Amino acid sequence: MPLDQDLLARLKRHEVLEALRAGERVDGRDFEEFRPIELRTDVISKANGSALIHLGNTQLVVGVKLEVGTPYPDTPDEGALAVNAELVPLADPTFEPGPPDENAIELSRVVDRGIRESEMIDLKSLCIQEGEHCWVTFVDIHVLDHDGNLFDASLLASVAALHRTRVPRAEVVDDEVEVDETETTPLEVRDFPVSVTLALVDEHLLVDPCLDEEVVMDARVTVTVTEEGRICAVQKGERGSLPEHLLDDAIDLAVKKAEEIRRVVKAQL
Amino acid sequence: MPLDQDLLARLKRHEVLEALRAGERVDGRDFEEFRPIELRTDVISKANGSALIHLGNTQLVVGVKLEVGTPYPDTPDEGALAVNAELVPLADPTFEPGPPDENAIELSRVVDRGIRESEMIDLKSLCIQEGEHCWVTFVDIHVLDHDGNLFDASLLASVAALHRTRVPRAEVVDDEVEVDETETTPLEVRDFPVSVTLALVDEHLLVDPCLDEEVVMDARVTVTVTEEGRICAVQKGERGSLPEHLLDDAIDLAVKKAEEIRRVVKAQL
Amino acid sequence: MPLDQDLLARLKRHEVLEALRAGERVDGRDFEEFRPIELRTDVISKANGSALIHLGNTQLVVGVKLEVGTPYPDTPDEGALAVNAELVPLADPTFEPGPPDENAIELSRVVDRGIRESEMIDLKSLCIQEGEHCWVTFVDIHVLDHDGNLFDASLLASVAALHRTRVPRAEVVDDEVEVDETETTPLEVRDFPVSVTLALVDEHLLVDPCLDEEVVMDARVTVTVTEEGRICAVQKGERGSLPEHLLDDAIDLAVKKAEEIRRVVKAQL
Amino acid sequence: MPEEEPERLISEDGLRLDGRKPDEMRPIKIRAGVLKRADGSAYVEVGANRIVAAVYGPRELHPRHKQKPDRAVVRFRYNMAPFSVDERKRPGPDRRSIEISKLSKEALEPAIFTEYYPRTAIDIFVEVLQADAGTRCAGITAASVALADAGIEMRDLVAACAAGKVDGHIVLDPMYYEDGHGEADVPLAMMPKEGEITLLQMDGDMTPEELKKAIRLAKKGCKIIYKEQRRALKRKYGEEE
Amino acid sequence: MPEEEPERLISEDGLRLDGRKPDEMRPIKIRAGVLKRADGSAYVEVGANRIVAAVYGPRELHPRHKQKPDRAVVRFRYNMAPFSVDERKRPGPDRRSIEISKLSKEALEPAIFTEYYPRTAIDIFVEVLQADAGTRCAGITAASVALADAGIEMRDLVAACAAGKVDGHIVLDPMYYEDGHGEADVPLAMMPKEGEITLLQMDGDMTPEELKKAIRLAKKGCKIIYKEQRRALKRKYGEEE
Amino acid sequence: MPEEEPERLISEDGLRLDGRKPDEMRPIKIRAGVLKRADGSAYVEVGANRIVAAVYGPRELHPRHKQKPDRAVVRFRYNMAPFSVDERKRPGPDRRSIEISKLSKEALEPAIFTEYYPRTAIDIFVEVLQADAGTRCAGITAASVALADAGIEMRDLVAACAAGKVDGHIVLDPMYYEDGHGEADVPLAMMPKEGEITLLQMDGDMTPEELKKAIRLAKKGCKIIYKEQRRALKRKYGEEE
């Protein structure tokens, strides 16, 4: 039963590179082509906002929960944001139970920066009482099926879930916060950041790498772009290097694709 | 020195089954017979209540400690109960140091349900000031010598320790709780739940399995019975299955034995 | 590349013992001779007090940070002291990442006792408001290069850092502590405890063992001495034993060397 | 959860808060093979429960000394997504989920021909995306379909369902509010073909006769579940497994 | 603990709060072989200390790379039951118990012929069921008897006892209140046959001469303990070990 | 940190709070071989950053199944001393340091001939003793010198430096206050010989053109760092490595 995993990997690598040399991707897509995106929001009624995304075969759920907490001392008039990604072992044979590893942490931090730096959420609107009480916005990414490019799928679903998030009414009575879950208003959202991840394989930049491509890629670049076409986050990962001109190409390509993806996704909200 | 553990286990299994086929148990008991129970209470003066039990060669101590805490938000007028079992490596060569494993957790949760669901403790009597202060009742099970049936031994000792627990006087002065350890009243206890554990071995139900029997059992059923002969908790464990009629037998047998054991133990309090 | 570590260790052991039999130490020192001590204070401007010590090739930094906290219930009019040692893997090939192991914990506790039992710090002077607010003095030992005798090097650097520590002005306004980092006064320090560690190797007592000697020592004795020549802490470690007369010698020798070392170090403050 | 606390959980005409009869299940939906990466998978809805199960294996087991020379080692991890419950659940196992994982493993293992797969691991993962009452039963139900979807040889499917006691009545498949306000809960799992029970828990207050009645009712529920499990597998594989 | 804070810990006629003379031990009780599962065990009472020790081994040591080709690896775990102290102790090791475990191991190891048991582990577990002052010494005392009860070959038993400084007097075997209010504590362990010291700690304030005096007094205590250890083993085994 | 909040971070004459020009680095000091125990080490100061790096290896990698048959495994641990920042940092890795460790490893690995050292580990440890802005870049810079000092074969040194956006200006090597109050931060690492970029992050707000400009400026900074790295190695080894 236990097949020779190494042999399989080498065969797959060969297949991906072979296709590239013939000017093609292993799944037949154009170099700049995203996989089909299917988005469903409000899938979890226990959450204040939620979304389920399919990006090709990659599948994940994001749930947004609002909880009453205390503002950070240095931002007493703001709510807080906490992004967490769980790479649960259900989603991939290499994922292991336990606290988030470096991959899960990198994923959640890149998504966090996309949300935070785009300023899509007005954290001030999440203050309940200055210095005392605020909403903490938990964005939990729960990966179900891993077929590559968790970065873009996670940010898309997170942003969609935030766009659908409703904030319960909160009142301070006798220094305590009373929450009325039945009366809600939409979370104020001011932007729609989209990240575009490119894999560098054999000197080619491949948009939205699938898992087979991720396994063989030399480096990965993720560029997060706001609605105005500005950059709010970049992350190069994996142990390869790339020359500046490819980086310039990646930035331009990301800006172009981000707008396209945003249109596709917004149509599904 | 390191003997062939597997070989030993197989020999032991053989011995247990051989005896059963001859209509006997490996230690000569009747199928429905408990091992001798010896109980000593008030063995730990640092605890508010305590008991040391010998159930055959199984030996464990339970200490009850009362600490001032905060009520749960959904039960502001009640104290709290926390049952914890430590399977310390002193008690068995297979027990390992570290946080409670699944066996220790199952044990403590089954004991917890016996105490909680029988409502033997009036949690309301442990409220000190509504919504602010209450007694937290820690029931700590400390296993010293493991020769099987930790479930029943643990509940017996826990219930006995609770029956002997004294609550210090607590007064609220200036929003703070002042505790006077020298003035105590008995904890209000309203029931005496007893669990009866049966091992299914080779289609036989064996009451109070010793360790040799536990090693070969297919399944385990624990039924916890109140003084009125009602059921307050059931737990089937281990990776075997059993037909409904045996379950029915187990329930009836447990109700019968529970009363008997309760009498034995109460006589020692 | 991976050399035979065991072989290397045995050769080293041989070399140390050989030297001893010839009445010499492996690095040419007298039996009662400390290695050169070089101390630099105020090396970390983010800390309230700091020191970098070289004891021969052993090198470590101690940083003292003062943070506002709550007094312990049983000492409501005192500040708190917390000593922590990190044996980071940068300092020695055998140090591993993770929470402090038994060696790091023993080290920090022996240093803690040297500071605490000598009463060099007036903890009462660190109370900000009785029962409510106090300074917590964190003494963090960060080992950079391990060539033996971390005990003495750590206490020397800790005591030096405390002697240079400045306490910010703290005021209680509306039940909250306001700290003014720009206005500071020196921490009140009343003693200068010095520990002297001796290694028992082949029935010889060696002062200030280097790593090669520690590897072969049978037992280790650390004696901490106050400015008045009184003993405030002793710790025998490692799995050897020693007769009482050697202990007596160790105590006398430690008292003598402590005074000498204190003079050397104070000159560098 | 009802806005106001209802006075009684069973109405005068014998119906429950959600309109069900005492022996009526909540709506069930089961799908086999919902994930690509896993060797087998399933999705289950029972009431508002949303549960995904995946199976990996039989696969190599590391470290080696945990391998069993005569059978596969079955491992089970029950996990709740942080957003699956009213108050956000901190990620990672708690005592409740560790107990459920242990009992669920023991509920499924009797059905698996572990002896066919010596020295391997069969890993079962259950993710609760949304929790109504009865997640441990729905998890076992889903896991069993996922095992079949992974092609693991089994004696029978394992179906799971709870009964409860509410306002003195024994009812099938309690929902969230009944679970929180009822007098007892009796989750049960079984292999329906032989009628063998593989999981049984109970907490609350029941007479021995009520408990036996609840067991019988839960068994009835399991048979309904069982039909849906087989239907889901048939939908995927064209005919009964 | 006395209800009211006493003015002095040593009375005018030289007696301590519990009526002992400065060089007098608390009552001691030692039993060998109190547990069935362990290879060796012992129970010790010193004052209100209630301590159980167990030894497992020599036994196989996993993982293999921790084995020593020329000797047994001795491991020691000192643990306090949650109910053993005034304020409930959270289960699991804290910094204090990790230090005590390390020093206790180092106090016992000189007495064990570890070279007789290459590649094995000798595991020593000490559980403090009730703590008065001096648990580390009582734990070493108990562990040593448990080692003998397990049949481990030893050079000598290890006996442990503390001395202290109270109101300026050097006293033997301080009890809880003296430990908390005295000026210094000096726990010591030794192999009485050769007079070799295997554990020594001190914290507090002493002159060098006081420390030496305390060491001598603690040694005297160890010899009393030693007699009780041997008596306990004799009671079990019929004659001196 | 300035006592009062400054109104602008770049003055009218184009100078920064610390008097630097926009494209000017902070003072740099690099030393190779500062530790005795490590196989290679380095010390770096950039502004008020105080950073020590050590390299151990190539050395044996345990457990064996983590070994790679065709190359060395590179491991990297970025750690901040508790006293290195304004508010005491609790010891142990947090999410930030785990991400930095991962990216730093990936920034250095392209430069190492890992294929020369199959089945081994190359361990890189970076300790931040005092943190100004830019510790991850200074850590990579130090680690790269430590690797060379350890005699590890490399394609090139890796130099790292950040650019930032402050008051709308693209500036080189932001210091603490600029990092906290600026509009964007762009840490970058490269192998200067071939111009290959091995680390790039950005967070904040920039147009694509500003980002490209920042990348070019950070590359300029890396070349300055590179000169200092080589000078440090030359100082130790007598001539360019």
Side-chain angles (χ1 to χ4, degrees), chain C residues 1-3 43-47 54 57 59 61-65 67 84 86 88-95 97-98 138-142 144-147 182 211, chain F residues 3 34-38 48 50 52-54 56 58-60 77 79-88 91-92 116-117 120 125-132 176:
Chain C
M1 226 144 323
L3 289 157
V43 292
I44 303 293
S45 62
K46 298 257 173 189
H54 283 81
N57 286 328
Q59 190 183 163
V61 188
V62 169
V64 175
K65 294 279 267 188
E67 299 220 329
N84 185 56
E86 292 285 306
V88 292
L90 160 130
D92 189 285
T94 69
F95 292 172
F138 287 98
V139 176
D140 281 294
I141 302 162
H142 217 73
L144 299 180
D145 214 355
H146 176 26
D147 190 25
T182 63
L211 188 60
Chain F
E3 291 295 295
V34 296
L35 305 176
K36 300 284 175 187
R37 286 292 276 167
R50 303 276 179 275
V52 189
Y56 286 90
R59 60 178 175 181
E60 263 191 291
R77 185 175 186 259
N79 186 48
M80 297 188 111
F83 44 74
S84 64
V85 281
D86 283 333
E87 196 172 332
R88 178 177 183 265
Y116 291 6
Y117 312 104
T120 68
F125 302 110
V126 163
E127 294 292 327
V128 178
L129 300 181
Q130 181 159 288
D132 205 344
Y176 188 74

Side-chain angles (χ1 to χ4, degrees), chain F residues 16-241:
Chain F
R16 296 152 75 180
L17 288 175
D18 55 2
R20 280 188 289 158
K21 282 174 283 182
D23 63 349
E24 193 180 337
M25 298 274 302
R26 289 175 288 180
I28 311 160
K29 183 173 142 185
I30 305 181
R31 295 282 173 272
V34 296
L35 305 176
K36 300 284 175 187
R37 286 292 276 167
D39 296 320
S41 61
Y43 173 72
V44 164
E45 290 185 13
V46 179
N49 290 307
R50 303 276 179 275
I51 288 176
V52 189
V55 168
Y56 286 90
R59 60 178 175 181
E60 263 191 291
L61 175 52
H62 286 292
R64 254 156 189 286
H65 73 260
K66 294 206 167 171
Q67 295 180 359
K68 299 288 173 190
D70 55 345
R71 59 181 170 89
V73 170
V74 178
R75 298 186 292 193
F76 191 106
R77 185 175 186 259
Y78 167 99
N79 186 48
M80 297 188 111
F83 44 74
S84 64
V85 281
D86 283 333
E87 196 172 332
R88 178 177 183 265
K89 199 203 154 288
R90 285 170 59 111
D94 55 15
R95 295 167 68 92
R96 176 180 167 275
S97 66
I98 290 171
E99 187 194 18
I100 291 179
S101 295
K102 176 179 190 292
L103 295 180
S104 300
K105 173 184 64 192
E106 293 169 355
L108 288 162
E109 209 167 335
I112 302 172
F113 286 106
T114 55
E115 61 271 33
Y116 291 6
Y117 312 104
R119 300 192 181 282
T120 68
I122 296 173
D123 284 310
I124 308 169
F125 302 110
V126 163
E127 294 292 327
V128 178
L129 300 181
Q130 181 159 288
D132 205 344
T135 56
R136 82 190 64 188
C137 289
I140 291 167
T141 295
S144 174
V145 175
L147 282 163
D149 184 45
I152 309 276
E153 298 273 357
M154 294 168 81
R155 286 177 183 81
D156 196 2
L157 291 170
V158 176
C161 184
K165 183 176 162 193
V166 165
D167 274 2
H169 298 72
I170 306 303
V171 301
L172 186 59
D173 188 26
M175 47 81 171
Y176 188 74
Y177 194 80
E178 289 170 338
D179 190 31
H181 293 74
E183 294 107 69
D185 184 38
V186 186
L188 182 144
M190 68 185 299
M191 295 185 282
K193 233 187 288 175
E194 302 283 344
E196 287 277 308
I197 291 163
T198 66
L199 169 109
L200 176 68
Q201 285 187 286
M202 178 268 183
D203 64 319
D205 175 65
M206 278 180 160
T207 64
E209 291 321 306
E210 284 172 337
L211 174 57
K212 291 176 192 169
K213 190 177 162 192
I215 291 170
R216 275 190 294 280
L217 186 57
K219 287 182 70 168
K220 198 187 133 188
C222 288
K223 280 170 192 155
I224 298 170
I225 296 279
Y226 187 54
K227 230 161 89 182
E228 292 300 322
Q229 289 176 307
R230 289 159 51 117
R231 192 174 294 167
L233 287 165
K234 196 175 169 184
R235 228 178 350 250
K236 181 163 179 208
Y237 291 103
E239 51 194 285
E240 300 269 312
E241 82 289 0

Side-chain angles (χ1 to χ4, degrees), chain D:
Chain D
M1 202 187 314
E3 292 295 298
E4 280 177 49
E5 298 235 338
E7 257 173 69
R8 39 196 299 177
L9 302 176
I10 306 280
S11 70
E12 283 176 29
D13 45 357
L15 295 186
R16 296 152 74 180
L17 288 175
D18 54 3
R20 281 187 288 157
K21 281 175 286 186
D23 64 348
E24 192 180 338
M25 297 275 303
R26 290 173 290 179
I28 310 159
K29 183 173 143 185
I30 305 181
R31 296 281 173 274
V34 297
L35 304 177
K36 301 283 175 187
R37 284 294 275 166
D39 295 322
S41 61
Y43 173 73
V44 165
E45 290 184 14
V46 179
N49 289 308
R50 303 277 178 274
I51 287 177
V52 189
V55 168
Y56 287 90
R59 61 178 174 181
E60 263 191 289
L61 175 52
H62 286 292
R64 254 156 189 285
H65 74 260
K66 296 205 166 170
Q67 295 180 1
K68 300 288 174 191
D70 55 345
R71 60 180 171 90
V73 171
V74 178
R75 297 185 292 192
F76 191 105
R77 184 175 186 262
Y78 166 99
N79 186 47
M80 298 189 109
F83 43 75
S84 63
V85 281
D86 283 333
E87 196 173 333
R88 177 177 184 265
K89 198 202 155 290
R90 285 171 59 112
D94 54 17
R95 293 166 70 93
R96 175 180 168 275
S97 66
I98 289 170
E99 189 194 16
I100 292 179
S101 295
K102 176 180 190 292
L103 295 180
S104 301
K105 175 183 64 192
E106 293 169 354
L108 289 162
E109 209 167 336
I112 303 172
F113 286 106
T114 55
E115 60 271 34
Y116 292 6
Y117 312 104
R119 299 192 182 283
T120 67
I122 296 173
D123 284 309
I124 308 170
F125 302 110
V126 162
E127 294 292 327
V128 178
L129 300 180
Q130 182 160 288
D132 206 342
T135 56
R136 81 190 66 188
C137 289
I140 291 167
T141 295
S144 174
V145 175
L147 281 163
D149 184 44
I152 309 277
E153 299 274 358
M154 293 167 81
R155 287 177 183 80
D156 195 1
L157 291 171
V158 176
C161 184
K165 181 175 162 193
V166 165
D167 274 1
H169 298 72
I170 306 302
V171 301
L172 186 59
D173 187 26
M175 46 81 169
Y176 187 74
Y177 193 80
E178 290 171 337
D179 190 31
H181 293 75
E183 294 105 68
D185 185 37
V186 185
L188 182 144
M190 67 184 299
M191 295 185 285
K193 234 186 292 177
E194 303 283 344
E196 288 277 309
I197 291 163
T198 65
L199 170 109
L200 176 67
Q201 286 187 283
M202 178 268 184
D203 63 319
D205 174 65
M206 278 180 160
T207 64
E209 292 321 307
E210 284 173 337
L211 174 57
K212 291 176 192 168
K213 189 176 163 196
I215 290 171
R216 275 191 293 280
L217 187 57
K219 285 181 73 169
K220 196 185 133 188
C222 288
K223 281 172 191 153
I224 299 170
I225 296 279
Y226 188 54
K227 227 160 91 182
E228 292 301 320
Q229 289 176 310
R230 289 159 51 115
R231 190 174 295 167
L233 287 164
K234 196 174 170 187
R235 222 171 4 243
K236 181 161 180 209
Y237 291 102
E239 51 195 286
E240 300 270 312
E241 83 287 2

